[in-house]
Amino acid sequence: MTSHTLDPLFCPASIAVIGASSDPRKIGGRPIAYMLRSGFAGRILPINPKQTEIQGLPAFASLAAVGHPVDQVIIAVAGALVEQAVEEALAQNARSIVVFSSGFGEIDDEGKRAQERMARRCRDAGVQLIGPNCIGIFSTRSAMYSTFMSALEHEMFEPGNVGIVSQSGAIGSYLYGLAGDRGVRFSHFAATGNEAGVDVADCIEWMAQDPHTRVILAYLEGCGHGERLRRALQTARARRKPVIVMKVGSSAQGAAAAASHTGSLAGADQVFDSIFAECGAWRAQTMQELVDLAYACSISALPLGNRLGVITPSGGVGVIAADACEQAGLVLPHLPPALQQQVKDIVPYASGVNPVDTTGQVLSDRQLFNRIMKIVFDFDGFDSILSFNASIGKSAAEWAKVREDLFALRRQHPQRLVASSMRASPEVVRELEAQNILYFSDPAVATRTIGALTWLGAAQRAAALETTDAPAQALPMPALPAGVLGEAAARTLLEAAGLPFAPQRVAASAEQAMQAAEELGFPVVMKVLSPDIAHKSDVGGVVLNLASREAVLTAWSAMMARVRGHCPQADIQGAVLSPMISGGTETVLGMVNDPVFGPMMMFGLGGIFVEIFQDVKFHSAPLDLAQARAMIAAIKGFPLLDGARGKAPADLDCLARALVTLSQFAAAHADSLASVEINPFIALPQGGYAVDALIIRK
């Protein structure tokens, strides 16, 4: 995709409206009314065979009657007439088409087939199609409003720098008003509807390359083209355009993938989480969070680090901010002792640590607050500063006592993010924003928003520093054999790919099991061998710490009886024996083939912990070593691998190499595999071993 691909949609010089109406409140009348009201400089061409004039403009009986090609055609007719209108637009060499009409893929199979026919015809002709069943698009700088969005009847905000794209027209319209009330001003808007042609990813990609768009706000319900979305988000991150996305809904991965822990834990929602994090997009959980972040990104530069300084006349607000910092990934560095003493020299009962509590004494003399505020601003140990001032913004007289000092400090420290939390009049809020100071009524929301902005800034800087860190592939990836991939076959394949496995023997009888145990050396682990049993411990198919021939014999009989009791139809082929490995930490390494984004790697604590704690992280495959190390360090249980409570740390390099190798195997066979899992992989102080393997075909 190039930066000009969607220009016919967002930058048309001429727009025809098929189904144009003289009623400015009807679907076919609103786009004309909006563009006349806002001063669209291009040509507006109403198409209606029953009228010669519409809203003061000459009307045409057909698109052909216009006599020349147009950049964009809006279709606002009954569903049964839409295909004919599309053909008319294509015959007249239209460059883009916006279909408002519904009654297609969202209704039934016949509608879906009609939608696919239209999409194919437009694709073959090189024409951009948005919709059907969409409320349209607009670009504020050109006053182009190819939309019937009802919110525009009430208010048209002046042009801004936030692009908004939504799969839902109703949500998009509501967000336009909600964000507008917060002070957000938009550059472009797109509601993609059924996405027969242009989708959310296409719009994000275009807006990321648009010089008038600084931040992109997106609402997403699903994704049909995972790689397209991934690429669009990466383009935005590379161009330092923050993307704030609200993704709703979830779906199952399918029965086959769910047969492994990896598959069952990789719900579509968690995979989306991982993709957004990989690509530097912030996932908002509520519409208000979406709006607050879009507002903040549109005004302020992103922080250069996670160090927050807080100044407040209220100790309670300091506690609120401190609690929010912990949740938001921010730290509160203390002022140095010398600066703390300077604070106390100004107000003896103040707390000069951080949050800096000036106490209520400053309410009677605002200059005391201003002097302490200067100490906080001038300290170079903060990346962001939050100032709480209660209700001062409601009093013109009191606000005037702080205003000039605050603005002067803002100008002296342009590299910092500065936020103000208080009750304030609209005039005061506008003054703050004109100085690139963020305004919040709630200090906790302010703190959480600063945390999100800090994460976005870190993601952009990390992307700029990214280098390819892929190790040389030691062995070619082995081909998948035909037939069922039981544990033994899975082990053989993964060993050939380069994964280290603990020694093992396969036994078809109790006698063979005793012989195998002697060869391996006691104590041993014995596990039932069956292609029909994915989770052996659940059916009593694992026995640990067998220290003698007699123990193996007794365990064999008892284990086989238990397993047959649980799984009478299973094909039981014997047992697998391995040495007991002690002194390590059980981890799980896995891959699930996501239907949207393809092979996704999983890492977490293994054994029974993967089921109990579900402390896992996902990342697209294949991985490089840096990405594998980051996955390992990101789990909550990482201290167990890093030498917690005096325990020897695990060989993290060995663990990362194993993850990379498994990811290369998974990526090489992505067309054939539903999931792969090694559980456990025992991470030792030196080296590590895979113990159990499971491979499930698509």
Side-chain angles (χ1 to χ4, degrees):
M1 181 174 289
T2 70
S3 61
H4 302 297
T5 303
L6 299 188
D7 282 2
L9 276 173
F10 286 104
C11 311
S14 55
I15 301 173
V17 183
I18 298 179
S21 173
S22 294
D23 186 343
R25 294 183 59 83
K26 286 190 174 180
I27 287 177
R30 279 180 176 170
I32 298 171
Y34 294 159
M35 285 188 275
L36 289 174
R37 190 171 94 200
S38 59
F40 177 60
R43 290 196 68 193
I44 305 170
L45 305 161
I47 310 297
N48 189 320
K50 297 178 180 179
Q51 295 179 251
T52 58
E53 183 181 294
I54 289 178
Q55 298 189 45
L57 297 172
F60 300 84
S62 67
L63 193 57
V66 171
H68 58 78
V70 295
D71 287 338
Q72 185 178 112
V73 174
I74 297 172
I75 297 177
V77 296
L81 303 176
V82 170
E83 280 194 86
Q84 178 185 336
V86 168
E87 291 300 327
E88 185 178 357
L90 296 177
Q92 297 304 312
N93 297 315
R95 298 175 63 207
S96 65
I97 299 173
V98 181
V99 181
F100 292 166
S101 314
S102 58
F104 293 92
E106 80 282 6
I107 298 297
D108 54 25
D109 289 341
E110 178 53 39
K112 186 175 183 180
R113 286 190 288 270
Q115 178 176 304
E116 290 171 349
R117 286 194 299 269
M118 289 190 301
R120 184 170 56 252
R121 291 283 291 123
C122 290
R123 190 166 53 247
D124 292 345
V127 173
Q128 295 294 351
L129 168 68
I130 192 162
N133 189 34
C134 76
I135 66 167
I137 63 175
F138 61 79
S139 290
T140 59
R141 291 183 182 274
S142 64
M144 182 277 290
Y145 287 89
S146 297
T147 177
F148 64 93
M149 180 197 288
S150 60
L152 295 171
E153 287 187 352
H154 313 298
E155 51 202 350
M156 274 188 176
F157 300 115
E158 62 272 18
N161 57 16
V162 176
I164 179 170
V165 53
S166 173
Q167 287 177 330
S168 163
I171 294 295
S173 177
Y174 186 74
L175 285 172
Y176 172 80
L178 189 67
D181 290 343
R182 184 67 171 93
V184 175
R185 296 296 180 260
F186 295 102
S187 55
H188 308 284
F189 173 95
T192 55
N194 289 6
E195 297 191 336
V198 172
D199 65 6
V200 164
D202 296 327
C203 295
I204 291 173
E205 179 107 10
W206 187 87
M207 291 177 187
Q209 299 171 84
D210 171 53
H212 301 300
T213 300
R214 177 171 173 169
V215 55
I216 301 164
L217 184 157
Y219 173 84
L220 197 64
E221 294 175 351
C223 177
H225 304 281
E227 187 52 41
R228 192 186 300 174
L229 179 61
R230 183 189 274 116
R231 184 180 67 238
L233 295 175
Q234 289 170 340
T235 299
R237 181 180 61 174
R239 291 177 176 264
R240 295 185 173 270
K241 304 282 182 78
V243 178
I244 303 110
V245 56
M246 185 176 183
K247 162 67 177 68
V248 300
S250 61
S251 63
Q253 286 293 313
S260 70
H261 292 110
T262 308
S264 62
L265 291 173
D269 207 51
Q270 192 158 1
V271 172
F272 271 100
D273 265 348
S274 302
I275 294 296
F276 294 147
E278 285 176 42
C279 299
W282 180 269
R283 184 174 185 181
Q285 300 302 314
T286 66
M287 283 193 278
Q288 191 60 54
E289 182 186 1
L290 200 69
V291 165
D292 283 335
L293 279 170
Y295 160 82
C297 289
S298 72
I299 291 174
S300 173
L302 300 177
L304 298 176
N306 69 338
R307 302 169 302 174
L308 176 66
V310 179
I311 177 170
T312 170
S314 163
V317 167
V319 175
I320 290 171
D323 288 347
C325 278
E326 188 170 328
Q327 301 166 8
L330 298 172
V331 295
L332 292 164
H334 288 177
L335 287 175
L339 295 185
Q340 291 186 39
Q341 186 57 50
Q342 289 182 27
V343 170
K344 284 188 167 295
D345 289 343
I346 297 169
V347 177
Y349 296 108
S351 170
V353 288
N354 186 27
V356 176
D357 179 5
T358 66
T359 76
Q361 186 173 339
V362 301
L363 302 181
S364 60
D365 185 353
R366 298 291 183 184
Q367 284 304 310
L368 299 178
F369 183 88
N370 293 350
R371 289 167 60 191
I372 295 174
M373 183 168 60
K374 179 172 172 50
I375 293 172
V376 173
F377 268 82
D378 288 346
F379 175 53
D380 62 5
F382 299 139
D383 303 296
S384 302
I385 293 174
L386 171 62
S387 173
F388 178 77
N389 290 99
S391 297
I392 191 174
K394 287 289 189 178
S395 166
E398 293 302 307
W399 169 238
K401 297 174 183 178
V402 175
R403 178 182 181 277
E404 292 307 321
D405 285 354
L406 173 61
F407 290 173
L409 289 169
R410 160 81 280 189
R411 291 190 292 271
Q412 291 167 22
H413 300 279
Q415 78 283 4
R416 292 236 181 93
L417 181 149
V418 179
S420 177
S421 178
M422 59 180 170
R423 295 177 65 235
S425 68
E427 294 76 20
V428 169
V429 172
R430 285 194 292 271
E431 288 183 340
L432 289 166
E433 293 168 353
Q435 298 291 325
N436 301 117
I437 298 173
L438 302 177
Y439 169 74
F440 297 90
S441 58
D442 185 333
V445 172
T447 306
R448 289 195 294 269
T449 302
I450 294 169
L453 297 178
T454 300
W455 184 92
L456 284 164
Q460 289 183 357
R461 291 190 296 275
L465 297 173
E466 276 182 2
T467 57
T468 301
D469 190 20
Q473 193 167 299
L475 292 170
M477 291 295 111
L480 295 180
V484 176
L485 292 171
E487 182 183 351
R491 174 191 169 115
T492 299
L493 272 172
L494 295 173
E495 268 192 310
L499 282 150
F501 274 79
Q504 75 169 26
R505 299 285 188 277
V506 176
S509 65
E511 185 60 39
Q512 289 181 10
M514 289 186 289
Q515 181 63 33
E518 286 190 327
E519 293 172 1
L520 292 167
F522 295 104
V524 296
V525 178
M526 185 166 62
K527 299 175 294 181
V528 68
L529 179 60
S530 170
D532 301 323
I533 302 174
H535 305 306
K536 302 171 183 63
S537 59
D538 292 349
V539 296
V542 179
V543 187
L544 308 177
N545 267 322
L546 299 175
S548 65
R549 285 177 60 91
E550 293 73 20
V552 171
L553 179 63
T554 301
W556 177 280
S557 300
M559 182 179 74
M560 292 303 174
R562 285 194 304 271
V563 172
R564 288 193 178 96
H566 283 286
C567 308
Q569 305 302 319
D571 176 17
I572 299 175
Q573 300 172 350
V576 176
L577 291 93
S578 300
M580 280 290 298
I581 299 173
S582 59
T585 302
E586 291 189 350
T587 66
V588 57
L589 285 59
M591 180 281 288
V592 63
N593 209 334
D594 184 79
V596 175
F597 295 103
M600 299 290 299
M601 297 304 298
M602 184 187 88
F603 174 78
L605 294 180
I608 62 171
F609 295 119
V610 68
E611 297 173 343
I612 296 172
F613 298 121
Q614 299 188 7
D615 178 18
V616 296
K617 292 296 177 183
F618 288 86
H619 195 288
S620 302
L623 301 168
D624 61 32
L625 280 170
Q627 292 165 337
R629 292 187 186 108
M631 282 185 74
I632 294 166
I635 66 169
K636 295 176 183 176
F638 177 69
L640 294 175
L641 296 166
D642 200 34
R645 304 184 73 86
K647 182 180 177 181
D651 187 339
L652 300 179
D653 287 338
C654 171
L655 198 53
R657 287 194 300 272
L659 258 176
V660 169
T661 300
L662 182 60
S663 78
Q664 292 170 339
F665 174 83
H669 298 297
D671 291 340
S672 304
L673 299 178
S675 65
V676 181
E677 184 169 290
I678 296 173
N679 184 28
F681 184 99
I682 300 179
L684 298 166
Q686 290 187 329
Y689 294 102
V691 175
D692 201 352
L694 176 66
I695 295 178
I696 299 174
R697 293 184 187 274
K698 276 190 176 178

